[in-house]
Amino acid sequence: MAERITGADFDKKVKNADGLVLLDFYSDSCIPCKQLSPVLGELEEAYAGKAAVYKVNVNYEEALSAEYRVMSAPTLILFQNGEPVDRKSGMQKKEVLTEWLDRYTGG
């Protein structure tokens, strides 16, 4: 299961990361977020060593949500070497996310 991070460890885990980070902005009350969670867990295992997967709760991390203009949950943002490079909003199928990650990891 993807580790939940906060503003306190955001720089260390995301901004200063070498490589690819998939960040899930979610809410505990969001049904699509709950449905996406096991998919993210599978991706975390499948891309171990290629991409890190973390979660940010939009209800507790309002500053991060505002900084990255997250308007709805779930919102997935891909970071490459600390910079946002792509994003997707809403529930996504595993196949779509796999293709998305493969574009950035060399598949």
Side-chain angles (χ1 to χ4, degrees), residues 13-21 78-85:
K13 302 274 185 170
V14 180
K15 285 216 146 194
N16 298 330
D18 290 328
L20 196 65
V21 175
L78 272 181
F79 288 79
Q80 182 78 50
N81 299 323
E83 295 296 323
V85 293

Side-chain angles (χ1 to χ4, degrees), residues 24-100:
D24 172 29
F25 286 84
Y26 77 101
S27 170
D28 289 327
S29 61
C30 163
I31 300 300
C33 298
K34 290 178 182 180
Q35 294 169 331
L36 188 58
S37 188
V39 172
L40 293 175
E42 291 174 22
L43 292 174
E44 182 178 33
E45 288 181 23
Y47 288 87
K50 295 181 183 178
V53 180
Y54 299 114
K55 299 172 77 71
V56 173
N57 190 313
V58 297
N59 297 311
Y60 297 108
E61 302 300 328
E62 294 174 6
L64 284 176
S65 299
E67 180 178 352
Y68 291 100
R69 295 184 173 98
V70 174
M71 301 296 184
S72 64
T75 293
L76 303 172
I77 302 178
L78 272 181
F79 288 79
Q80 182 78 50
N81 299 323
E83 295 296 323
V85 293
D86 207 351
R87 68 169 48 212
K88 291 190 178 293
S89 294
M91 179 61 188
Q92 304 291 322
K93 291 183 178 183
K94 182 180 179 183
E95 296 78 23
V96 170
L97 295 176
T98 299
E99 288 176 16
W100 191 45

Side-chain angles (χ1 to χ4, degrees), residues 5-16:
I5 62 172
T6 66
D9 52 3
F10 183 81
D11 283 357
K12 178 183 174 191
K13 302 274 185 170
V14 180
K15 285 216 146 194
N16 298 330

